[in-house]
Amino acid sequence: MSAKASGASPNGAANGEAKHRQHHDGSTGRAFTVEQKTAVIRVRKCAPTAFYDILGLEEVKTTCTDGEIKKAYRKLSLLTHPDKNGYDGADEAFKMVSRAFQILSDPDKKSKFDKFGGDPDNRFGGGSASTASPFSGFGRSGGAARAGGPMWEEEISPEEMFRQFFGGGGMGGGFGGPF
């Protein structure tokens, strides 16, 4: 095998000195229009879960129809598609546009998003109390759920969590206690 085929330096450089290779996504050098550039910049400025804003429907988000959502998606997907748009960041903008359409075109996901905010597919992305954080409320005194409400509502400090697991208070002294 030649030095060129193996990636080694042809002048006999020491092992460990590999050539740095750049990955090209194919859009480098591809032309783009001012409209494509503007669309990418606008979409990339939006929050990842601002789905109406991403599609440009923030003004009519309470009254927009499925047809308006599809029309906005078609227009933006053509403007941001990395095969058509060589502007830096077009691939990320296209992914954001596709994700927004995926959520807003599904009636169940759209209603969850409208009600709670956040990404309805993300376990921790919704705005409801039950999905806010997996560790919120871990330190509630008593350790049992109150009647009529979840037991995970308050935040706990790392010190409190350590104390609950490894010593002092409650259930027989924890892991580090006497047996």
Side-chain angles (χ1 to χ4, degrees):
M1 182 183 298
S2 71
K4 188 170 191 159
S6 69
S9 178
N11 61 4
N15 282 340
E17 282 189 43
K19 284 184 175 180
H20 293 289
R21 295 184 180 104
Q22 290 184 337
H23 172 74
H24 298 287
D25 64 1
S27 65
T28 307
R30 184 169 291 141
F32 55 89
T33 65
V34 174
E35 186 181 17
Q36 288 173 323
K37 177 182 176 180
T38 304
V40 169
I41 291 170
R42 188 193 64 75
V43 169
R44 297 280 316 269
K45 284 183 180 179
C46 295
T49 58
F51 301 127
Y52 289 106
D53 294 345
I54 291 169
L55 293 181
L57 299 170
E58 60 273 358
E59 300 291 324
V60 293
K61 66 181 175 184
T62 57
T63 61
C64 67
T65 64
D66 289 340
E68 290 172 314
I69 292 170
K70 288 177 185 174
K71 183 178 177 182
Y73 168 71
R74 282 188 201 115
K75 180 180 178 184
L76 275 174
S77 65
L78 287 173
L79 287 173
T80 60
H81 197 287
D83 287 347
K84 305 276 185 195
N85 185 343
Y87 187 73
D88 192 35
D91 55 342
E92 279 300 314
F94 179 73
K95 289 175 188 176
M96 290 173 72
V97 168
S98 297
R99 182 69 184 142
F101 178 70
Q102 183 181 21
I103 298 300
L104 296 180
S105 65
D106 182 310
D108 292 334
K109 291 178 183 178
K110 183 179 185 286
S111 69
K112 286 179 185 176
F113 174 73
D114 290 343
K115 187 174 182 181
F116 300 115
D119 189 340
D121 288 341
N122 186 348
R123 285 181 26 190
F124 310 120
S128 68
S130 63
T131 60
S133 169
F135 300 111
S136 63
F138 193 78
R140 175 177 287 172
S141 59
R146 291 185 211 161
M151 66 185 257
W152 313 107
E153 288 180 3
E154 303 168 0
E155 294 292 329
I156 184 170
S157 70
E159 293 82 15
E160 176 67 17
M161 184 181 293
F162 185 84
R163 185 187 63 72
Q164 286 185 2
F165 278 117
F166 296 108
M171 315 280 280
F175 296 112
F179 294 111

